[in-house]
Amino acid sequence: MLLFTNHVFQALDEQVARLNPASVVVLTDSNTVECVLPQLQSQSEAVAAARVITVAPGDANKNIDTVNHIWKELSSCGATRNTLLLNVGGGVVTDMGGFAAATFKRGIRFINLPTTLLAAVDASVGGKNGINFYGLKNEIGTFREPEATIISTEFFRTLTSAQLLEGYAEMLKHALISSEEMTSRLLAYDITEYRDDTLLDLLRESVAVKEKYVTADPLDTGARHALNFGHTFAHAFESLAMQRQSPLSHGYAVAFGMVAAMILSHLELKCPTDWLNRYAAYVKARYGTFAFTCKDVPVLIDFMRHDKKNEAIGAISFVLLEKPGVPVINHPVADANIPAALDLYLDMMA
Amino acid sequence: MLLFTNHVFQALDEQVARLNPASVVVLTDSNTVECVLPQLQSQSEAVAAARVITVAPGDANKNIDTVNHIWKELSSCGATRNTLLLNVGGGVVTDMGGFAAATFKRGIRFINLPTTLLAAVDASVGGKNGINFYGLKNEIGTFREPEATIISTEFFRTLTSAQLLEGYAEMLKHALISSEEMTSRLLAYDITEYRDDTLLDLLRESVAVKEKYVTADPLDTGARHALNFGHTFAHAFESLAMQRQSPLSHGYAVAFGMVAAMILSHLELKCPTDWLNRYAAYVKARYGTFAFTCKDVPVLIDFMRHDKKNEAIGAISFVLLEKPGVPVINHPVADANIPAALDLYLDMMA
């Protein structure tokens, strides 16, 4: 159940009352504890009475050691099969908390309260959970739906502009694979100056796009691949940035990756230059660019060949657009067009 | 899919052909590697071509460290979402392999080949998997069905009489909760002198009892509790034995626990003494007894109060029998009848 509300405390207590758990446990990270938890504890009866498990923040801690810690805390506070876990935080907390809940006593119920725009639009929807394992992202995990995901812009007030833009990249992706009209609207919106009510409406619409694909393909074997639009380039940009020891956030990488994917869509499927130019200009103005040179192009292509979402070794699979709203999955790409797209990216975004 | 066959190699290769995986990986333990794997490798094409992951045997190794090792081996041999895991071994291997498969890349397919009678009749059926965690049995796990479970008595030739009797205790349990006729037949059978074809028929019938309960109650919230018949006493016997540092196998504990549960059923529900006497005599002749004194009775009751399957703290929940074939779950038991049942056990089984 997905709830969009700016009365988050009331919504949460209603959900807890509906589920009638034996006990409630909150999972959060040490950042969220400071920013969000005091308010939750003072305004939600369910949270005020709950035991709190706090983990260290960041993707580097999304691993089996932290899950071990969560399991141990659940055990030691006497959690039963009828305990409810509230995951309060960004995507790291909702991914890891979902996995811990799905596996503790063969599965306890959980509610996600995403506190970042990125988690609200992406990680808290779709039933995927997971942890990183020996350098592989989300290598271990399950599919399991939360009892409810409560999405509220009330949590976003303490986010920086960069954090808002990270989440907005996924909203732009949903628009691009969904319709020209929605794409136009989002390219005219300034996320860093959001108002609660308009953002909540945009979020509802954006999450509905993801839900549509997830419902059509719950186990991610076909149509859902459209949600990977821009991600093959994005992962390569992230890997190159990591190699240079100056990490690039996933949201920014997706914003840049979709520029490259639109260029490739133009080369392969004649995606209109008008849309390409409008989108690239928006990204350049808001996000800047990812800096690389033509010497990096073969390195980036090599990263793409090893992307875990490639099913065939050697070939690179892309999601492309005929135009906004018309995604094409598994399109075979002419080899020469991949370096060509990256070269054109350099021309447009330098 | 459950297959009962004494042409196990052919059945396995047929299943692998049907599932058409990208690769096959075998999970087994160091005991099974010696006894069973050479034959499997020489007679099954699927196994001959497979990478083998070997773990240390025994319940003490059914933990997250071993699962970490399995995940790492799967990663390092290039397993994909389309890899098939073959769990070849006893309940420890099928429980742990099921959990590793259910969580690797959010779930890969697996087949169980139970090599002990206990695993064939119990652990490989029902979709439960799991590992122990900080002294709590099966505290971490999921529900996930194997693609197939292949049950064959061909694997049982190297089992000791004690190992056969361990599995037979669960078959006796299935009979007791199922019918007088089946109970009579099993009390007249000598498992230590089994013949392949008759045992395969008995197994088919016995597993069907478990399947009936699992199908009626897949998430173990009601009717399936009947499968816990004898287990409240059995867990207490196991805990007392553990405290004395002379562990009692689960199968034997269940055989003894069902004697106590039948006595309690007689006290509470007038379960006929004829059935009680026949069953107790069979257990005494085949399994011997679990030795304790009246001074241990309060200790045993205390263990029962802390059994994890008790939902209400303090109260002890029992599955009882009106007679073989008529189980009663969640029957409220008069407090004085629990020590009375244990005292009567001492009289009958000493």
Side-chain angles (χ1 to χ4, degrees):
Chain A
M1 181 190 296
L2 261 174
L3 297 167
F4 295 84
T5 176
N6 282 328
H7 304 279
V8 62
F9 309 106
Q10 189 188 333
L12 176 58
D13 283 350
E14 281 170 11
Q15 289 305 309
V16 173
R18 173 178 74 87
L19 297 169
N20 190 28
S23 62
V24 176
V25 175
V26 171
L27 176 72
T28 189
D29 65 29
S30 46
N31 289 341
T32 314
V33 153
E34 286 176 34
C35 304
V36 175
L37 205 73
Q39 199 189 356
L40 265 177
Q41 283 174 322
S42 70
Q43 300 199 32
S44 157
E45 285 180 33
V47 176
R51 165 88 160 240
V52 177
I53 303 174
T54 307
V55 297
D59 198 60
N61 294 300
K62 201 174 92 170
N63 57 35
I64 192 65
D65 292 336
T66 310
V67 172
N68 257 312
H69 170 71
I70 298 168
W71 284 334
K72 204 171 169 184
E73 291 287 305
L74 286 169
S75 272
S76 72
C77 75
T80 71
R81 287 182 195 173
N82 197 22
T83 290
L84 178 71
L85 186 67
L86 301 183
N87 299 318
V88 182
V92 168
V93 167
T94 57
D95 274 7
M96 194 157 48
F99 180 64
T103 51
F104 183 73
K105 293 184 188 282
R106 300 201 181 97
I108 63 173
R109 296 174 297 173
F110 62 102
I111 287 178
N112 285 342
L113 281 91
T115 57
T116 65
L117 182 61
L118 182 58
V121 76
D122 191 32
S124 66
V125 179
K128 284 185 181 181
N129 58 54
I131 53 172
N132 306 326
F133 188 72
Y134 283 93
L136 297 168
K137 289 181 75 77
N138 300 317
E139 180 81 341
I140 304 301
T142 69
F143 286 91
R144 187 165 174 122
E145 288 288 345
E147 298 300 316
T149 298
I150 302 175
I151 292 179
S152 171
T153 59
E154 289 187 41
F155 292 120
F156 303 159
R157 296 206 186 110
T158 56
L159 299 180
T160 61
S161 291
Q163 286 175 307
L164 289 167
L165 283 164
E166 279 176 43
Y168 201 62
E170 295 286 346
M171 292 176 70
L172 287 165
K173 181 191 78 181
H174 290 165
L176 284 163
I177 63 173
S178 181
S179 76
E180 293 182 309
E181 183 277 323
M182 196 171 160
T183 303
S184 276
R185 224 164 354 108
L186 263 67
L187 291 179
Y189 188 80
D190 183 355
I191 183 64
T192 63
E193 301 285 337
Y194 78 91
R195 282 189 16 239
D196 279 345
D197 51 351
T198 53
L199 180 55
L200 199 64
D201 287 340
L202 286 181
L203 262 172
R204 188 183 283 117
E205 198 179 359
S206 188
V207 170
V209 173
K210 179 160 184 186
E211 272 205 299
K212 189 187 77 174
Y213 281 100
V214 169
T215 307
D217 178 18
L219 297 182
D220 198 5
T221 56
R224 188 166 172 172
H225 291 183
L227 293 168
N228 294 331
F229 180 62
H231 279 58
T232 302
F233 286 108
H235 291 155
F237 292 162
E238 285 177 86
S239 297
L240 183 60
M242 189 71 79
Q243 202 177 63
R244 294 172 176 166
Q245 304 195 312
S246 62
L248 177 66
S249 81
H250 180 65
Y252 276 60
V254 168
F256 302 137
M258 292 192 294
V259 174
M262 286 193 75
I263 296 169
L264 189 57
S265 298
H266 173 67
L267 297 176
E268 288 280 335
L269 299 172
K270 308 209 188 311
C271 179
T273 47
D274 172 46
W275 280 113
L276 165 56
N277 290 332
R278 279 173 70 188
Y279 175 70
Y282 183 90
V283 170
K284 201 168 161 184
R286 302 279 178 195
Y287 293 81
T289 188
F290 177 64
F292 62 93
T293 68
C294 19
K295 281 194 293 186
D296 295 317
V297 168
V299 181
L300 289 168
I301 291 173
D302 203 50
F303 280 128
M304 287 187 249
R305 284 198 204 287
H306 291 93
D307 193 282
K308 74 162 175 164
K309 294 201 170 164
N310 275 338
E311 296 186 3
I313 292 165
I316 307 178
S317 84
F318 286 97
V319 181
L320 300 178
L321 294 184
E322 278 183 27
K323 63 176 186 176
V326 187
V328 176
I329 64 172
N330 299 328
H331 180 79
V333 167
D335 267 1
N337 278 342
I338 304 172
L342 288 166
D343 287 339
L344 284 166
Y345 178 98
L346 288 177
D347 292 343
M348 291 180 75
M349 300 290 283
Chain B
M1 181 191 295
L2 262 173
L3 296 168
F4 296 83
T5 176
N6 282 329
H7 302 280
V8 63
F9 310 106
Q10 189 188 333
L12 176 58
D13 284 349
E14 281 170 10
Q15 289 305 308
V16 173
R18 174 178 74 88
L19 297 169
N20 190 27
S23 63
V24 176
V25 176
V26 171
L27 176 72
T28 189
D29 65 28
S30 47
N31 288 341
T32 314
V33 153
E34 286 175 34
C35 303
V36 175
L37 206 72
Q39 199 189 354
L40 265 177
Q41 282 172 323
S42 70
Q43 299 200 31
S44 157
E45 285 179 32
V47 176
R51 166 89 160 239
V52 177
I53 303 174
T54 307
V55 297
D59 198 61
N61 294 300
K62 200 174 92 168
N63 58 35
I64 192 66
D65 292 336
T66 310
V67 171
N68 258 312
H69 170 71
I70 298 168
W71 285 334
K72 204 171 168 184
E73 291 287 304
L74 285 169
S75 272
S76 73
C77 75
T80 70
R81 288 182 194 172
N82 198 21
T83 290
L84 178 71
L85 185 68
L86 301 183
N87 298 318
V88 182
V92 168
V93 167
T94 57
D95 274 7
M96 195 157 48
F99 180 63
T103 50
F104 184 73
K105 292 185 188 283
R106 300 201 181 97
I108 62 172
R109 296 175 296 172
F110 62 102
I111 287 178
N112 285 343
L113 281 90
T115 57
T116 66
L117 182 61
L118 182 58
V121 76
D122 192 32
S124 65
V125 181
K128 285 185 179 181
N129 58 54
I131 53 172
N132 306 325
F133 187 73
Y134 283 94
L136 297 167
K137 288 181 75 77
N138 300 317
E139 180 81 343
I140 305 300
T142 69
F143 287 91
R144 187 164 175 125
E145 289 287 346
E147 298 301 315
T149 298
I150 302 175
I151 292 179
S152 171
T153 60
E154 288 186 41
F155 292 120
F156 303 159
R157 297 206 185 110
T158 55
L159 298 180
T160 62
S161 292
Q163 286 175 307
L164 289 167
L165 283 164
E166 279 176 44
Y168 201 63
E170 295 286 345
M171 292 177 69
L172 287 165
K173 181 191 78 181
H174 291 166
L176 284 164
I177 64 173
S178 180
S179 77
E180 293 182 310
E181 183 277 324
M182 196 171 160
T183 304
S184 276
R185 222 161 358 105
L186 263 68
L187 291 179
Y189 188 80
D190 184 356
I191 183 63
T192 63
E193 301 285 336
Y194 77 91
R195 283 192 10 242
D196 279 345
D197 51 351
T198 53
L199 180 55
L200 199 64
D201 287 339
L202 286 180
L203 262 173
R204 188 182 283 119
E205 197 179 0
S206 188
V207 170
V209 173
K210 179 160 184 186
E211 271 206 298
K212 189 187 78 173
Y213 281 100
V214 169
T215 306
D217 178 18
L219 297 182
D220 197 6
T221 56
R224 187 166 173 174
H225 291 183
L227 293 167
N228 294 331
F229 180 62
H231 279 58
T232 302
F233 286 108
H235 291 156
F237 292 163
E238 285 177 87
S239 297
L240 183 61
M242 189 70 79
Q243 203 177 62
R244 294 172 176 167
Q245 304 194 315
S246 62
L248 178 66
S249 82
H250 180 65
Y252 276 61
V254 168
F256 302 138
M258 291 192 294
V259 175
M262 286 193 76
I263 297 169
L264 188 58
S265 299
H266 173 69
L267 297 176
E268 288 280 334
L269 298 171
K270 308 209 188 314
C271 180
T273 48
D274 172 45
W275 280 113
L276 166 56
N277 290 332
R278 280 173 68 188
Y279 176 71
Y282 183 91
V283 170
K284 202 169 161 182
R286 301 278 178 196
Y287 293 81
T289 188
F290 176 64
F292 62 95
T293 68
C294 24
K295 280 194 295 188
D296 296 316
V297 168
V299 181
L300 288 167
I301 292 174
D302 203 50
F303 280 127
M304 287 188 249
R305 282 197 204 290
H306 291 93
D307 193 280
K308 74 162 176 165
K309 295 203 170 164
N310 274 336
E311 296 186 3
I313 293 165
I316 307 178
S317 86
F318 287 96
V319 181
L320 300 178
L321 293 184
E322 278 183 28
K323 63 177 186 175
V326 187
V328 177
I329 63 172
N330 299 328
H331 180 79
V333 167
D335 268 1
N337 278 342
I338 304 173
L342 288 166
D343 287 339
L344 285 165
Y345 178 98
L346 288 176
D347 292 344
M348 291 180 76
M349 299 289 285

